[in-house]
Each structure stands twice: as C-alpha cells, then as structure tokens.
Amino acid sequence: MTDMCRENGSLYEAPIGVFDSGVGGLTVAREIMRNLPNERIVYFGDTARVPYGSKSKDTIIRFSKQIIRFLQTQNVKAIVIACNTASALALEEVEKELDIPIIGVVKPGARVAAGVTKNGRIGVIGTESTINSHMYKQLIQEYNPDIAVYGRPCPLFVPLVEEGWLKDSVTEEVAKRYLKDLLEQDIDTLILGCTHYPLLRSLIGKIVGEQVHLVNPAYETAKELERLLEREGIANPGEKAPGKEPYRFFVSDAADKFKNFANSILPYDIETTRKINIEEY
C-alpha cells in the first residue's frame, strides 16, 4: 500500500475510487453505500466520452488509465471499475501498473452465475464491446467448461435508462425483442452485464419470468469489495470520519444532469458534482 493514502489521515478512512463511463456505475456505488456503510467513495463518471460500449479496446484502456490517475490524486485505497466494458477490456492491463487493489464488475457476476445455474445455460446482456469480448463466457467456463453461455448486445438500454424510461412501454417492447433469442435458448440464469441494467431489473424480471435467476453484478461487486478490504486489512472498522465528505462525485461533463439522475437512484442526496478536465490526467 502506498504512502499516498496515509498523507491525509488513516488508511482505513481513505475512500474507495469508483468509476464508470457515465451514470451506470451509480448502481455499483449504491450497492457499496448499502453494504459498506462505513466506507467513503470518490466517484468519477466519464460523461463527456460516454458510451464506452462502441469504442476500441485501446481507447478504453487509455480512458481508464486517465481516470485511475485522477482517482489516485484523491488518495483512494482501492478502485472499483464500475463499468462492464472497461472491466472486460482494461482491467487486466491497468492492474499491472497499480500498487493498490483494483476490481471490476465482470468476475464477481460470472462467478455467481456459474454457481447458481441449474441447467448450465446462462444468458448475458451488455454493450457490444462487453458481449464481443466474450469475457463473461471465458470466466464462466473457467468455473465450469460445460456451461453454455449466450450473449446479447442491448445497445438501446443505456439511452433509455438515462432518459428515465425505466418502466415505459417503449422500453418494455425493446426488452422483449432483445430477450426473445435468449429465452429461446432455455436459459435459467441471466447476467445484467451492464451497470445501467439493474435499473431495469423489475421490467426484465417480468419478461423472463421467475424461472430465470437474475444476476446483478453491481451487488456482487460490492460484496467482493467487502471481502477484498477485509483480506487486505484496509476496511474501515468505524463510522465515516466526521467532517469529511462521505461521498464525492466528479464528471467530465454535464454535472447538473448527472446530479439529477444520481439523486433519483441513490440513497443519499448529492449536493455537489464537480466537473474536471479528465484529458489533463
């Protein structure tokens, strides 16, 4: 662990860095708030360069490295890549250069899905980059090579979620079309492989039915983070330090729009969202 975290007080009280291409990673932040209430968070949403799902691997790696450099200036003790695309394409590369723990959202979701499926047929929905990376399939089949994994890109889900159309008839019709092929494969488990998608959980659940187990990588990542902090001996054993902002939010653009969306889904009201020039990092 670096001395950087120790400069501004106890290592235990240092925040967790969380980043995403935009607002989707707030579902991960929400689960961290719920499951690790003593931990502080510094969140960065790359709202100027969203979406990541259609960009190249090299571009995603470059963006991720810039964001990590920014988060390190905030003295974080660990980092969560709260973006399936960046987790799939950049995690392996960026963790080589870090001396603090870093996790993504793909592995926790893959592990749980492999453990809960009964018939060995798992569906994955996500961005085009996440599905085309076959990362979920690769990880699931490391746990059990006999499991069949079926991927389906759902590019319209992100703009529909960001528009706030979580229960709209248009969103339901789009979801039915996306999920039809997967249901025809007789899946019994479905991974919500983009951090926006947990916000559509009830709608998706209605379409796929109770016989399909929905895996929310946002929740599984928060639990994985909890285990990581305990294992590394850096979990905050007490309450959040008084006088310090428990949660800080940064974006690369559209701060007010981000704040409004965040306040609609988080269990904590955001008063300030700061815009930074991420290209400087």
Side-chain angles (χ1 to χ4, degrees):
M1 187 59 57
T2 64
D3 291 333
M4 183 168 58
C5 291
R6 297 189 179 90
E7 291 175 3
N8 293 333
S10 168
L11 174 62
Y12 304 117
E13 295 170 358
I16 309 297
V18 180
F19 78 88
D20 179 50
S21 58
V23 301
L26 289 168
T27 60
V28 178
R30 179 173 66 178
E31 296 296 345
I32 295 172
M33 291 175 182
R34 288 171 173 169
N35 291 280
L36 290 80
N38 293 340
E39 299 295 345
R40 297 165 59 222
I41 296 172
V42 175
Y43 183 99
F44 177 80
D46 199 1
T47 44
R49 303 186 294 195
V50 68
Y52 280 12
S54 56
K55 293 181 171 64
S56 70
K57 180 175 182 176
D58 287 346
T59 297
I60 299 301
I61 290 172
R62 179 169 64 84
F63 287 178
S64 298
K65 287 183 175 181
Q66 288 178 320
I67 296 166
I68 288 168
R69 283 194 285 270
F70 163 70
L71 290 174
Q72 288 178 304
T73 69
Q74 303 300 303
N75 301 316
V76 297
K77 63 182 176 182
I79 292 175
V80 176
I81 304 181
C83 171
N84 281 265
T85 301
S87 296
L89 301 182
L91 176 58
E92 190 175 333
E93 180 69 25
V94 299
E95 66 183 349
K96 298 174 187 174
E97 303 175 6
L98 276 177
D99 59 357
I100 58 175
I102 182 169
I103 61 171
V105 290
V106 173
K107 287 183 181 179
R111 185 183 64 251
V112 169
V116 299
T117 182
K118 297 290 193 297
N119 71 357
R121 304 176 74 83
I122 297 174
V124 183
I125 52 177
T127 66
E128 290 181 26
S129 291
T130 297
I131 300 303
N132 292 338
S133 76
H134 302 293
M135 183 62 73
Y136 273 107
K137 181 177 182 178
Q138 177 186 324
L139 290 169
I140 288 168
Q141 292 183 338
E142 284 179 9
Y143 292 110
N144 184 344
D146 295 328
I147 293 176
V149 181
Y150 304 94
R152 180 64 162 95
C154 302
L156 292 177
F157 277 171
V158 168
L160 287 168
V161 167
E162 296 198 359
E163 197 64 36
W165 293 8
L166 304 182
K167 297 180 180 178
D168 193 277
S169 60
V170 171
T171 308
E172 184 170 355
E173 180 59 32
V174 168
K176 285 178 179 176
R177 291 195 186 192
Y178 280 153
L179 297 167
K180 181 175 181 288
D181 294 345
L182 293 178
L183 291 174
E184 288 174 354
Q185 298 296 336
D186 192 32
I187 62 169
D188 75 344
T189 303
L190 179 64
I191 299 174
L192 307 179
C194 171
T195 48
H196 284 73
Y197 298 0
L199 298 172
L200 297 173
R201 183 188 180 103
S202 61
L203 185 148
I204 292 171
K206 183 172 77 169
I207 294 169
V208 301
E210 293 181 0
Q211 72 276 12
V212 177
H213 184 102
L214 298 183
V215 174
N216 177 3
Y219 171 78
E220 304 304 341
T221 299
K223 301 306 288 184
E224 178 70 19
L225 175 64
E226 185 176 24
R227 290 188 289 270
L228 170 71
L229 296 178
E230 291 293 341
R231 192 166 63 243
E232 295 284 331
I234 55 176
N236 187 5
E239 295 183 0
K240 289 183 285 286
K244 293 184 178 180
E245 288 180 280
Y247 308 120
R248 286 178 286 151
F249 297 87
F250 298 86
V251 293
S252 48
D253 197 18
D256 287 341
K257 184 178 179 182
F258 174 93
K259 185 175 74 170
N260 292 338
F261 186 90
N263 283 333
S264 73
I265 68 167
L266 292 179
Y268 170 91
D269 282 339
I270 299 176
E271 295 181 3
T272 307
T273 299
R274 302 174 180 89
K275 178 184 171 183
I276 65 164
N277 181 4
I278 195 62
E279 296 287 1
E280 293 180 352
Y281 292 88

